[in-house]
Amino acid sequence: MSLSITDVVVDIRQGRVRGALAEGIASFKGIPYAAAPFGANRFKPPQTAPSWDGIRDALAFGATVPKPPYFPPFDEILPEPVVEGEECLNLNIWTPDTAAVGLPVMVWIHGGAFANGTGAVPHYDGTRFARDGVVLVTINYRLGVDGFLFLADGVANLGLLDQVAALEWVRDNIAAFGGDSGNVTIFGESAGGMSVTTLLSMPRARGLFKRVIAESGAGHHAISTGTATRVGGYLAEKLGVPPDRAAIASVPVPDTYAAQIALSAEAFMAPDPGKWGEVAANLMPFEPVIDGDVVPVLPIEGIAAGASAGVDVMVGTNREEQRLFMVPSGAIDLIDENILGAAVAGYRLPANAIELYSAARPGATPGDLLAAISTDWFFRIPAVRLAEAHSGNGGSAYVYEMAWRSPLYGGRLGACHALEIGFVFDNLDAEWTDRLAGAHPPQSIADEMHRAWVAFARTGDPGWESYDAGRRTVMRFDSASAVVDDPDGAERRLWEGIR
C-alpha cells in the first residue's frame, strides 16, 4: 500500500519552501541554514543563508558535508548516505502541524568522531517524534579539516559555529513549522553528545536552547591550542603547503581529506602523547579546540563554574560502549595482560583496578576488561562528571544507561556505542538499524526510551528521579528496565581525582 503524499508550503525568512505531507506528518529536507562553505567561504565562519524567489522544494535530503568514509569494518556497520553538492550546511524538519503554535522542538546533532556523519541517516528520521507532538530537526555541520582545523590564526571551531548558526536559524524560523523557539532541546550522540555539552558551556550558544540530552559524549573531549596547532602543522606537511589557511584551502578537497585519513591512521597506529598530545588518548585529530573564545575552557570546567545554569540536562551512556570499536575489528582478542596493564597505568588507575573490574566480570578476558575500563574513561565517567557538575550547581540532571545487549557477533557486541539511537528515535525498522541491533530488537525498549526523550523535551522531566551526589539515581533501559542507584559504584570511585 503506497502512502498518500501531498505538498505543504510554509513561509520562512529566506522565502517560501515546499515540503511533503504524508500520514499527517510534514517533512522539509535540505533547507540551507547558511551559505555553501566553499570558494570564498571556505574556512570561514558560517555566512548568511541564501534567499530565493518563488517556492523552493524541500523534498529530498540536501548535500552532505565533505568527509571520508569510515575505516573498515565500520563502513559496513555504520553506513551513511553521501549526497553531492556544495550547499551542505542544511537541515531537515519533521512536524505534526505547520499551523500549530508552541510545539516542543528537538534538534539532533549527529555523531561520527567529528569526522563522519550527516543528518540524513535513515534512523534519524523524525517522523515518530513528530507523531508524538515534537518538531524534530536534524542538521549537518562541517567536519574534520573543514570543521576543526586550527592554525592559531584567529579562526577556530567552525563546526561548532555551524551548530550555533543552525540553532539561530531554528530560533528565527521554527514557529513557521509549529515549533516553540523558547522550548528547544538539543540532543546528540558521541561527537554529537560532546557537541551539545560543549554548546552548553559556550557563551555564544546561550539562550538558543532550554534543554540538553547528551548521549555517549560529555564535556571532557576538547583539545588544547598547542595540540591543535601541531595537528594543523602535520596536515600542512602532508599536503606539501605552508601551515596557512589560504594555502590549505587551495588544495583540492579530496586531497585534503586523504591527508586527514592518513593523519588519523598514524594517530591510531602510533598514539605517542609526545607527538599527538590529548589526541593520543581519544584518537580524534580534528575536534573542538579550547581557543579561549568560541570554547573558552574545557566544557566540563565551564559547566562546573555555572555555565549550564537554567538549562535542564539529561546524560547517559551505553553499558559496553567500547565493544563497538573492539569486537568487529577483532582487537578485543588481541589484548593480553601486558597491554591491559599498560592501559590501566596510562589511565593512572590504582593498582587494584584490574582486580576490582575482574571481580564484577567472572571469566572476563583481558580484552573484556580493557573494553570495560576504556568505556568508563571515554564515556561513563565524563557523563557522571557532567551530572555531578550540573546538579552540584542546583540544576536538574537526569542520568540513564542503555544495558540491552545486541545479539550480533555471537552476543559479544553487547550494549555497544550507538546502539541506543534506533530506540530513541523509535526507528527500529529503519534501514541499517539492524547493523547494530540485529533483526528483532525489543520494541518495548524503544517505547520506553522514546517516551522518556519526548517527555523531557516537553517538561524537562523524563520520568525518573534526578541525579544527586547522594543517591546517584540512574534509569537503566533493558528488557526489564528499572531505576538503579549508583550502578558500578566501586568502579566509579576508582576514577575519583583522575577523570
Side-chain angles (χ1 to χ4, degrees):
M1 176 179 173
S2 61
L3 295 178
S4 174
I5 299 176
T6 58
D7 292 349
V8 57
V9 176
V10 301
D11 294 317
I12 60 176
R13 293 193 177 191
Q14 293 148 276
R16 307 191 77 196
V17 63
R18 176 187 289 113
L21 181 66
E23 295 194 326
I25 305 300
S27 62
F28 300 81
K29 297 174 180 175
I31 303 175
Y33 66 81
F38 298 99
N41 291 337
R42 194 167 185 218
F43 293 132
K44 287 186 178 180
Q47 302 297 300
T48 302
S51 298
W52 52 83
D53 296 323
I55 300 175
R56 177 181 174 127
D57 282 342
L59 303 173
F61 288 115
T64 51
V65 303
K67 54 186 170 64
Y70 281 107
F71 291 115
F74 305 107
D75 55 343
E76 294 292 330
I77 298 170
L78 303 171
E80 55 187 34
V82 175
V83 182
E84 298 296 334
E86 291 197 344
E87 209 168 55
C88 57
L89 298 183
N90 59 64
L91 50 76
N92 315 294
I93 301 170
W94 290 262
T95 176
D97 187 358
T98 58
V101 175
L103 297 175
V105 179
M106 299 184 74
V107 179
W108 172 254
I109 300 178
H110 67 75
F114 298 104
N116 293 91
T118 166
V121 170
H123 46 269
Y124 302 164
D125 183 284
T127 297
R128 282 154 185 162
F129 274 110
R131 174 199 65 192
D132 295 327
V134 171
V135 179
L136 194 284
V137 182
T138 69
I139 70 170
N140 293 341
Y141 57 97
R142 279 174 284 182
L143 302 166
V145 173
D146 280 76
F148 297 96
L149 173 66
F150 186 82
L151 298 170
D153 59 358
V155 179
N157 295 305
L158 296 179
L160 294 174
L161 293 179
D162 291 345
Q163 295 171 12
V164 170
L167 292 172
E168 290 172 339
W169 190 99
V170 168
R171 177 196 62 199
D172 296 341
N173 292 282
I174 206 65
F177 302 89
D180 179 0
S181 63
N183 186 11
V184 174
T185 299
I186 59 173
F187 70 131
E189 181 269 346
S190 193
M194 297 169 198
S195 291
V196 300
T197 309
T198 304
L199 291 168
L200 184 60
S201 75
M202 284 170 48
R204 295 192 191 200
R206 191 72 183 166
L208 293 175
F209 50 86
K210 187 174 184 178
R211 302 188 173 100
V212 165
I213 304 173
E215 303 175 23
S216 304
H220 285 67
H221 293 291
I223 59 176
S224 67
T225 55
T227 293
T229 302
R230 274 187 283 167
V231 171
Y234 301 153
L235 177 75
E237 287 176 10
K238 285 203 174 292
L239 296 174
V241 299
D244 172 83
R245 202 165 293 269
I248 294 173
S250 71
V251 177
V253 171
D255 294 346
T256 306
Y257 280 84
Q260 177 184 313
I261 292 171
L263 280 182
S264 298
E266 286 181 14
F268 179 79
M269 296 303 295
D272 176 11
K275 178 175 182 178
W276 294 103
E278 306 96 302
V279 172
N282 66 31
L283 302 179
M284 296 187 295
F286 295 94
E287 61 183 299
V289 181
I290 307 166
D291 67 316
D293 177 20
V294 178
V295 181
V297 296
L298 187 68
I300 190 62
E301 294 175 0
I303 292 164
S308 61
V311 179
D312 298 323
V313 171
M314 185 163 83
V315 59
T317 57
N318 299 346
R319 187 165 178 79
E320 299 169 299
E321 300 268 5
Q322 203 70 17
R323 296 185 80 86
L324 174 64
F325 310 107
M326 297 179 67
V327 170
S329 66
I332 198 165
D333 296 320
L334 302 178
I335 306 303
D336 59 20
E337 298 285 356
N338 292 331
I339 295 173
L340 175 62
V344 167
Y347 288 142
R348 299 184 293 114
L349 284 168
N352 67 328
I354 294 175
E355 179 183 356
L356 196 152
Y357 275 88
S358 297
R361 296 166 182 81
T365 67
D368 293 330
L369 296 176
L370 182 57
I373 291 167
S374 56
T375 289
D376 278 359
W377 180 84
F378 207 109
F379 298 104
R380 185 172 78 101
I381 299 305
V384 168
R385 298 292 178 255
L386 173 57
E388 290 172 341
H390 187 66
S391 63
N393 286 328
S396 295
Y398 297 87
V399 178
Y400 76 88
E401 178 184 80
M402 172 57 156
W404 181 77
R405 307 189 79 244
S406 169
L408 297 183
Y409 293 88
R412 299 182 76 200
L413 191 59
C416 70
H417 191 64
L419 179 63
E420 88 288 355
I421 299 172
F423 294 86
V424 165
F425 278 79
D426 192 13
N427 283 338
L428 296 182
D429 55 348
E431 183 182 15
W432 303 334
T433 303
D434 60 350
R435 304 286 179 96
L436 284 179
H440 302 290
Q443 179 61 39
S444 61
I445 301 177
D447 293 341
E448 293 173 330
M449 296 191 81
H450 181 75
R451 186 184 307 120
W453 267 240
V454 170
F456 183 79
R458 283 179 178 154
T459 68
D461 183 350
W464 61 87
E465 186 176 334
S466 61
Y467 192 93
D468 63 61
R471 186 175 170 189
R472 298 182 179 273
T473 302
V474 175
M475 179 64 186
R476 176 176 284 165
F477 292 102
D478 204 340
S479 298
S481 300
V483 170
V484 294
D485 291 340
D486 196 16
D488 305 304
E491 293 166 13
R492 175 189 58 77
R493 287 188 289 274
L494 286 174
W495 296 92
E496 291 177 0
I498 297 173
R499 191 81 166 126

